[in-house]
């Protein structure tokens, strides 16, 4: 293995294993790379940190129940609805969850006696990313990741709900499909708009989401679930 590949692999393993502290704070043992390589390793770490901010944010929003409940009540079309403070918590939660899962799966393949203690990262990922990337670049990356993260949350919700609609939208579509003769598209959209205006806010509140999620869900299933006349 060449030096460049070895450095990249070492940096990746630090990320995966939650060793997010500065190299200079590692114990002075043969396992620590020589100081002459620290700058190069830090450059590779910066690239990895930058690339994973977005993934950790999404992971922290989708897999943490508290974060997911909160983000679904935000406007999915407005990245500014995700505050910096909330994003920082979600990134930390996502990074920690991914690393713990990786370490747990790795340890599962290496039985030990006595059992290994529970794992915690060496330090905060956010504090490490701020140090490695610099505050300005880190915040810029965070801001650039918000729209993508909101889209992934919305897509995840739609994927789960489109096959088993919440009762309100399901009953509305069932009622439309039972109409004889079938509604035209114009008639359907008129009734849908009335339904959205009068009932969706209450249904969305029960579902724990912004009304935009319900409207998007109705749009998504229109072609698959709604039977309308071919007449305009």
């Amino acid at each position: 293995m060449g030096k460049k590949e070895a450095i990249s692999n070492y940096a990746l393993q630090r990320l995966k294993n939650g060793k997010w502290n500065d190299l200079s704070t590692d114990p002075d043992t043969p396992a620590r790379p020589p100081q002459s390589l620290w700058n190069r390793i830090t450059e590779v770490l910066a690239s990895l940190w930058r690339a994973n901010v977005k993934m950790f944010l999404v992971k922290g929003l989708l897999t943490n129940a508290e974060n997911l409940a909160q983000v679904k009540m935000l406007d999915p079309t407005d990245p500014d609805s995700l505050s910096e403070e909330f994003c920082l918590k979600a990134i930390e939660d996502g990074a920690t969850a991914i690393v713990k899962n990786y370490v747990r799966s790795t340890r599962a393949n290496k039985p030990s006696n006595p059992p290994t203690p529970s794992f915690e990262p060496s330090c905060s990922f956010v504090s490490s990313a701020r140090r490695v990337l610099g505050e300005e670049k880190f915040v810029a990356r965070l801001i650039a990741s918000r729209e993508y993260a909101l889209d992934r949350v919305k897509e995840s919700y739609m994927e789960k709900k489109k096959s088993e609609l919440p009762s309100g939208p399901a009953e509305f579509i069932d009622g439309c499909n039972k109409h004889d003769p079938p509604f035209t598209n114009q008639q359907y959209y008129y009734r849908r708009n009335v339904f959205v205006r009068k009932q969706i806010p209450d249904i969305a509140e029960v579902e724990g989401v912004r009304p935009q999620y319900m409207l998007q869900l109705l749009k998504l299933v229109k072609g698959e679930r709604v039977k309308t006349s071919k007449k305009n």
Side-chain angles (χ1 to χ4, degrees):
M1 181 185 298
K3 181 184 291 187
K4 183 177 181 180
E5 185 179 355
I7 288 174
S8 296
N9 185 61
Y10 175 81
L12 182 59
Q13 288 306 310
R14 285 189 76 88
L15 175 68
K16 287 182 174 181
N17 286 284
K19 294 182 178 179
W20 301 330
N21 56 290
D22 192 288
L23 271 168
S24 64
T25 65
D26 278 5
D28 188 6
T29 68
R32 184 172 72 172
Q35 191 170 353
S36 60
L37 295 178
W38 289 1
N39 286 342
R40 178 60 188 139
I41 292 172
T42 300
E43 289 175 3
V44 178
L45 288 173
S47 177
L48 289 172
W49 266 225
R50 188 183 305 110
N52 282 281
V53 165
K54 183 186 292 184
M55 180 182 72
F56 289 161
L57 174 57
V58 173
K59 182 75 172 180
L61 292 176
L62 289 177
T63 62
N64 181 289
E66 180 183 342
N67 293 344
L68 184 59
Q70 186 173 340
V71 74
K72 287 193 299 183
M73 293 303 295
L74 302 177
D75 185 346
T77 65
D78 180 16
D80 287 339
S81 65
L82 278 175
S83 69
E84 180 177 330
E85 180 181 2
F86 182 42
C87 287
L88 294 177
K89 178 183 182 300
I91 290 171
E92 199 70 64
D93 291 338
T96 302
I98 287 176
V99 167
K100 283 188 173 183
N101 287 339
Y102 174 78
V103 172
R104 189 181 301 117
S105 65
T106 302
R107 287 178 174 177
N109 297 324
K110 298 178 181 179
S112 60
N113 189 19
T116 55
S118 60
F119 169 81
E120 291 295 335
S122 62
C123 69
S124 158
F125 175 82
V126 168
S127 63
S128 176
R130 280 179 153 147
R131 171 178 52 79
V132 173
L133 297 176
E135 180 68 12
E136 185 176 342
K137 288 183 179 179
F138 171 72
V139 172
R141 187 64 177 166
L142 182 154
I143 291 173
S145 301
R146 293 182 304 175
E147 183 175 358
Y148 175 86
L150 284 174
D151 285 343
R152 298 295 79 75
V153 171
K154 184 170 65 176
E155 286 177 5
S156 175
Y157 180 82
M158 298 305 155
E159 187 63 30
K160 290 178 181 177
K161 293 293 184 178
K162 70 179 183 180
S163 59
E164 188 175 347
L165 292 175
S167 59
E171 291 169 4
F172 166 72
I173 290 176
D174 187 52
C176 289
N177 288 338
K178 288 179 178 178
H179 191 273
D180 189 20
F183 287 137
T184 64
N185 277 332
Q186 184 176 4
Q187 289 172 325
Y188 168 75
Y189 284 122
Y190 172 79
R191 281 162 175 75
R192 192 193 73 179
N193 290 340
V194 173
F195 173 71
V196 168
R197 186 174 66 253
K198 291 186 175 181
Q199 298 187 46
I200 282 297
D202 291 338
I203 295 171
E205 184 176 358
V206 172
E207 276 288 301
V209 297
R210 286 282 287 237
Q212 289 97 321
Y213 280 84
M214 292 288 98
L215 180 56
Q216 184 64 33
L217 192 57
L218 286 173
K219 290 179 179 179
L220 182 66
V221 302
K222 198 274 179 184
E224 301 174 5
R225 304 280 291 268
V226 179
K227 302 171 185 177
T228 56
S229 167
K230 293 183 179 180
K231 297 179 180 179
N232 291 326

